Amino acid sequence: MTTPDPILASVLQRRVQAISHEMATVLMRSSRSPIFNEIGDLVTVVFDRDGRTLAQTEYASIIANGAQPPLQRIIEYFAGDVHDGDVILHNDVYSGGNQNADVGVFVPIFWRDQLVAWTASKGHVADIGGMTAGGYDPRARDVWQEAFRIPPLKLHDRGELRRDVWDLVRANIRLDIVAEDIKAMIGACTIGRRRIVDLLDRYGAETFDAHMDYVIEASERQVRAEIERWPDGVYRGESWMVSDGLDPTARYRVAVEITVAGSDITFDFSATDDQAPGFTNMPAASAIGAIRIAFLMLVTAGGLSIPANHGVFAPIRTVFRKGSLIDPRFPASTIFGNQMCDEVVEAIMLALSDALPDRVTAGWNQFLCTALNGVDPRTDEPSVSLTIFQRGGPGAMRGADGYDALGFSGTPGSMRSPDMEMFELSTPHLMHYYEYLPDSAGHGEWRGGYGTRSSWTFLGVDEAGTTIGDDVASEGADPPHGLFGGGEGGLNELTLRFPDGTTKAWGSKEIVEGIPAGTVCVSRNGGGGGYGDARQRPPELVLAEVRDGLLSAEAARRDYGVAIAADGRTIDEQTTRRLRQEERA
């Protein structure tokens, strides 16, 4: 039996992490879709033979933390029938998937005729069949209307492509680019397999397994020690989703009860409302991913730096109620589910705000972007795109302002905005501007992150667009909450201006078909909530944002008690002292 060496364990852990990163780099640079190579809506993961996560590169964290459940299903499904050279495809939310548009490729790794590990690539493909190109259609009532379901499916068997299977998959997907992206995912997994085999050739399977076990156990010990510092108790929080894509006035409650007991933590979402009739339901794997994102935010806010692996999440227990908005009953449609990460994270942060005031964030602006599809007049080819550049701001926390224009809580700081010129080159749209939205951040001693404003013209033929998100002002959404005296963040506004001069307020989960060429979309994405008393914020920080054009002089005076001099570049010290003294009085 091998006795683990802590230094070698650290070396091997970093090597496996580097392998997952190389896989992601290969995938992004060899893929065809801008959703992959520009936005990075993808993940790569290395698992052990039993499906435990060893390392992951999480450009899209909601996918990364939801990649392990389908592998468990695959291992069970193909028990005794997994071979060197196999390639397994999967997306089905009713057998472990997090979203049908997030297609996964899983490759077993053999060394000396023994299964030793797995590599996986998973990403949001440009089309996955169903009733609408791109997959997002709020009118979908069941899973068959929204996607081509792929349960565990062998695409390669012992190194040989199964042409019948490949042709079946391609026949159910509109865009050839998706086939090319699947090939890129297979290539990334193949690179990972080669690197792991090289590692085993050097150290052997016994040494590798013993040291990976050591890393996982050490990670679990560190995280459990962190949780033990948290006060034991039962904590409750809730968030609201507005509109279900069918009824814009509908409101759904996402409720959590969190139990902290020693080094264990349970997230129970049983009190969440019943499932929706349309596509706004969240599969369990997606919910698990969202819970893990919030958990990692809380753990790392205490200063713990730790790679994501199986041990990090071992203390977590999750409870869902079958038939609720989270974990709906078959065959409910669910393609919006990933976007509900915002509500899950918000409910968790509110639940723990009093228990862990130094770790929680104020409310995030809930993500709102569009999924667009049509015909590109320059090529006469179909076009599908996501306007991920529409980014709101996250909430502040004690000691730190919210990051500006960070966007979706399901991909914190990792999934990228596309380059605007590449967006224009790859899709039939003309950008007018993309910039920070002034006065959008919730005020506080630590302010929320700023949102953005953007505008573009539709150039395509018979385009259709579906909004994907929440926090739309016209629907009566609640603004992102502030904490401990901090101000609320901003809501979202989305307007279509048609060539005939008419306008339309675009809802949060609404499809608009037949958008004529020349239509202009104007988007305003709000900022996050603030933290703490704004009158405690250093005046020089307020002045800097006024001078940068992020904050108006009126907002500086009203929200921060900071008077800007007539020159617009200095502080009126006397008036500022008076304003702040009056507020304290």
Side-chain angles (χ1 to χ4, degrees), residues 24-37:
T25 302
V26 168
L27 178 52
M28 293 185 74
R29 293 185 177 179
S30 61
S31 57
R32 293 283 303 282
S33 170
I35 299 173
F36 277 52
N37 52 47

Side-chain angles (χ1 to χ4, degrees), residues 3-36:
T3 300
D5 173 12
I7 295 177
L8 181 57
S10 180
V11 169
L12 291 175
Q13 182 273 317
R14 284 166 170 76
R15 182 70 186 102
V16 174
Q17 183 64 51
I19 290 170
S20 76
H21 184 75
E22 182 182 5
M23 291 168 59
T25 302
V26 168
L27 178 52
M28 293 185 74
R29 293 185 177 179
S30 61
S31 57
R32 293 283 303 282
S33 170
I35 299 173
F36 277 52

Side-chain angles (χ1 to χ4, degrees), residues 12 17 19 28 52 121 184 228 349 439 538:
L12 291 175
Q17 183 64 51
I19 290 170
M28 293 185 74
R52 298 186 304 172
S121 298
E228 286 178 346
M349 292 294 174
D439 290 345

Side-chain angles (χ1 to χ4, degrees), residues 565-582:
D567 62 6
R569 302 188 63 80
T570 57
I571 296 171
D572 181 337
E573 301 283 357
Q574 182 176 354
T575 304
T576 295
R577 282 195 298 272
R578 177 176 60 79
L579 289 172
R580 291 194 160 191
Q581 288 169 358
E582 288 174 355

Side-chain angles (χ1 to χ4, degrees), residues 414-486:
S414 47
M415 199 165 80
R416 309 179 306 187
S417 287
D419 177 87
M420 291 296 96
E421 292 182 344
M422 286 302 299
F423 178 70
E424 291 179 325
L425 285 171
S426 60
T427 72
H429 304 98
L430 175 67
M431 290 300 302
H432 299 263
Y433 56 82
Y434 174 51
E435 57 196 18
Y436 288 131
L437 177 61
D439 290 345
S440 58
H443 56 269
E445 184 173 1
W446 298 280
R447 60 151 176 87
Y450 281 97
T452 61
R453 59 187 177 192
S454 55
S455 178
W456 67 93
T457 295
F458 291 84
L459 305 176
V461 180
D462 293 327
E463 283 203 71
T466 301
T467 43
I468 314 166
D470 213 316
D471 268 8
V472 170
S474 63
E475 294 177 339
D478 301 322
H481 62 274
L483 283 180
F484 307 108

Side-chain angles (χ1 to χ4, degrees), residues 272-402:
T272 294
D273 284 350
D274 290 344
Q275 68 188 59
F279 73 162
T280 52
N281 297 294
M282 191 178 204
S286 182
I288 290 170
I291 291 167
R292 288 180 172 183
I293 288 169
F295 179 70
L296 284 173
M297 288 182 188
L298 295 165
V299 167
T300 56
L304 181 63
S305 177
I306 188 168
N309 60 41
H310 182 82
V312 172
F313 306 116
I316 296 176
R317 178 172 174 264
T318 57
V319 180
F320 309 120
R321 176 173 61 86
K322 180 63 72 174
S324 69
L325 202 65
I326 296 177
D327 199 11
R329 294 188 186 278
F330 177 83
S333 55
T334 62
I335 203 162
F336 184 82
N338 276 1
Q339 276 62 45
M340 293 166 60
C341 179
D342 283 332
E343 285 83 358
V344 170
V345 170
E346 182 172 78
I348 291 171
M349 292 294 174
L350 281 170
L352 295 173
S353 59
D354 289 331
L356 301 172
D358 294 343
R359 296 170 183 256
V360 296
T361 65
W364 291 46
N365 169 267
Q366 294 186 3
F367 185 56
L368 178 72
C369 75
T370 66
L372 308 175
N373 70 84
V375 176
D376 191 330
R378 300 167 298 184
T379 62
D380 289 329
E381 295 291 332
S383 169
V384 173
S385 58
L386 297 175
T387 57
I388 299 295
F389 53 79
Q390 293 174 263
R391 294 188 173 228
M397 64 182 297
R398 180 173 291 179
D401 294 340

